[in-house]
Amino acid sequence: MTSKEFIAQCKEKRTEHKEQVEVVKYLRKNKILHYAVPNGANKSRTAQRQFSAEGLMAGVPDLCIPVSNKYYHGLYIEMKRRAKTLKSGKKSVSHTKVSPEQEKWITELNESGYYAVVCYGEDEAIEVIDEYMENVV
């Protein structure tokens, strides 16, 4: 890696949004049925009340692939930004934590026959998607 590449990589601000956008691009490119849950979107108090009345619930994973395979009814992914690469070459710990509401949803979805996971970064999410889709019948 050249110094310019290294500097560019260090300056790159990884966000959960950017990670999820790349995963959605991958899903679209591969024509995999999916949808996103807009829980994290900034909303006015009025919009929050309206969405809540319509059934939007805190903690629901960010992405759903409503495709069953040999083992599960569908796949849910909670996206978190990946760890940054430090100057030493090691990965930092991701500072984005899974909330208690997210943990509860993931547990309940898994107990209900879905595959629900937390993925740290687009690479991890795409790997999970590929493995899941290998078992689609």
Side-chain angles (χ1 to χ4, degrees):
M1 172 183 294
T2 68
S3 60
K4 283 186 179 182
E5 291 171 332
F6 180 77
I7 291 167
Q9 186 178 30
C10 290
K11 285 184 178 179
E12 175 190 354
K13 183 174 180 184
R14 299 183 194 277
T15 64
E16 185 177 310
H17 167 77
K18 288 180 182 177
E19 302 279 6
Q20 185 168 326
V21 166
E22 293 304 315
V23 174
V24 170
K25 285 180 187 177
Y26 178 81
L27 291 165
R28 289 176 178 161
K29 177 183 169 204
N30 289 284
K31 297 180 171 72
I32 298 172
L33 185 64
H34 67 281
Y35 62 90
V37 178
N39 275 339
N42 292 328
K43 304 170 196 68
S44 68
R45 293 237 186 246
T46 302
Q48 288 173 358
R49 284 191 293 273
Q50 289 173 337
F51 280 114
S52 179
E54 291 174 1
L56 191 65
M57 298 181 76
V60 177
D62 297 307
L63 293 170
C64 177
I65 298 172
V67 176
S68 61
N69 71 11
K70 289 189 237 179
Y71 308 106
Y72 302 100
H73 303 309
L75 171 62
Y76 282 87
I77 297 175
E78 174 57 38
M79 291 295 304
K80 298 294 180 192
R81 70 171 172 80
R82 65 181 142 177
K84 296 178 182 177
T85 303
L86 304 173
K87 289 180 183 178
S88 65
K90 293 182 179 180
K91 297 277 185 182
S92 71
V93 177
S94 177
H95 296 289
T96 54
K97 303 213 184 296
V98 179
S99 72
E101 294 88 353
Q102 291 168 333
E103 287 178 3
K104 183 177 182 207
W105 268 99
I106 289 167
T107 299
E108 290 187 15
L109 287 164
N110 282 312
E111 290 173 354
S112 298
Y114 294 90
Y115 185 43
V117 295
V118 177
C119 291
Y120 292 89
E122 67 192 74
D123 297 340
E124 189 174 319
I126 289 170
E127 186 176 315
V128 166
I129 292 164
D130 286 345
E131 289 174 9
Y132 182 88
M133 296 304 289
E134 284 177 7
N135 292 305
V136 170
V137 288

